Amino acid sequence: MMQRILTAAMMALLVCGVTTAATINVPADYATIQEAIDAASNGDEIRKLLEGDTVQYSPFCGSPLQSSDWQRVKDLVDRGAYQLRGDTGEIVEVTIAWHVLEEWAANRAVDQWELDHYLELANEIWAPTGIQFAAHPVTDRIINPNWFEDIPNVDDFRTVRRLENALNIYWAAPESMGGLCGISAFTFSTLDTIAISPECMGWWDVDGVFCHEVGHWFDLFHTHEAYNGNECVERTNCLEAGDLLCDTPADFGLSFESCVDPYTCELLSHCADNPGPCQSDGVYTPDTENYMAYTAVPCMHEFTPDGIDRMRATAVNLRTAYLNTNLHHPCPSDTNWDYTTNVDDLLAIIEGYGQDCSGCNADVDGDGVIGVGDILSVIAAFGPCFECLSESDCDDGDPYTFDRCLFGECSYEPMRADCCIQGTCVTLIPPSVCESAGGVSVFENTACSWACGRGDTVATAQIADLGRNPFTNTYAMASDEPVDALMCKDTDLDWIDLVDVWMKFNPPADGTVIVSLCSEGSFDTSLVLYQGPEDPSPGELMQIACNGDAVDPIGCQPGYSEVSAPVIDGDGWLYIRVGSQSGAYGLGVVTVDFAE
């Protein structure tokens, strides 16, 4: 989510979910915001330049009504879908399926305690509607380092491992949705999921954003919705324009902190004189604390009574497939909700045996009496309610599968990775295939083209400059160039099938080259120098120096290597071969000094 950026004297009013839109400037194009609204098409961006203001504005919500949507809304209104007829008022429950984007296991968009907070918030805010929420006990962790930085297509993100007949809410990383605070779905939308950023316009308290998007899921529209015309300030057309709720004041589009003080939630003076669109109207007096307004993020505090009724009607008339599905607790026999049917549940039934208690936990078979049928049901269902509650429950012992716990069921996805085979990068093949071909699999989001070809062979030796040259041998393999250990027999060279990395240096003149692998925190190394042509054929390299362990000065890792050797300009390139002792992998530095 784009933060508040102090860059220019600008305020902007932006209809949410902009993809392709025109920009209308106030007062350059139109004298007032209202004139600009009257001239704009849905999705256009309206910018109001005010001297001294310093907020650069970004998109907020990805849930505007489109032209095709309005006819669907009209049909629902005509059918009475938003009216409460014959509703018993009983509590209905919706299962929330949490999905959290992670860069890696310790770096995630939101933590579990935050999810618990949002669940508690939802139950508090929606209590007047008779709608309550329960979270599935398994939170879906979506590990994708690339998406953690930038999600190219938010709709792709918010369909990953969707749980049927649940309210699926996807938490993205800050900034990863390209400036979008959230995107939701109406009952008539193609998708039925929500995606939210944990940061919105510089604010890290996004309770209001959460309620805003869930409000959309129950067919609440923006208070400034203008697709079917602007709502009159006198509300004479409140059933045909705006958000279709008559207890919501007409709203010209508050544009967040451009028009609302985030600390007092009061309308700023330069936005307080916008005249209404109808002949008898006075000035707009929008509700600056409505969850569905584009008010300042900290000011989203309330739904109106008509909004509460709309959400209840939407739930019982249009979201019936999501109600009381019990996806978060599929075991009636689990009387104490520990997700396992066991002796404790049997004891609970025995304790209440013979009691009439329709709807109580111990009435497993639902006949209204705790009896033999309940005991038999518990015995028949003995064991876990879910196959898994975490990834650790799904370990199949196969190192080449991703073991996942997806909402109570184990899933084993074949692992694919890039493969380095003698300096050649082969993308996205099973690691078993890579290793059987003599390659090394590249994981951890390392670019294959970078890991391969960085000096794994003589042919791919990277050019070394004077000074420090960093390297990694993480994906390197052993090469078969011969080594004459007798040349440095007293230095513990011990070169037998060592994983190695190659560099090459072109001496500028006759002189002495000093190559050191001293780098505090690096690994135990061995070092061999060769001389030969720029593109040598097998057997053309001549070994000129080697070293196993140099004397350990302060600031170098134990077992580092260092050599010096005379070179003659014109005799070819100097090839530097770095080996790792004891199978060590990691980062290192080759330092090249030259003296004539």
Side-chain angles (χ1 to χ4, degrees), residues 451-503:
C452 294
R454 290 288 293 255
D456 192 29
T457 65
V458 175
T460 61
Q462 51 183 319
I463 295 178
D465 297 317
L466 287 172
R468 292 168 58 84
N469 300 272
F471 71 90
T472 177
N473 72 342
T474 302
Y475 300 103
M477 300 177 65
S479 50
D480 54 9
E481 196 71 26
V483 174
D484 181 5
L486 294 177
M487 186 176 288
C488 50
K489 61 181 180 179
D490 297 327
T491 65
D492 193 24
L493 181 65
D494 192 24
W495 195 295
I496 301 176
D497 295 328
L498 296 188
V499 168
D500 52 22
V501 171
W502 291 78
M503 293 186 183

Side-chain angles (χ1 to χ4, degrees), residues 67 72 82 173 198 309 483 534 536:
S67 58
R72 296 190 184 114
Y82 295 141
D309 288 346
V483 174
E534 182 176 1

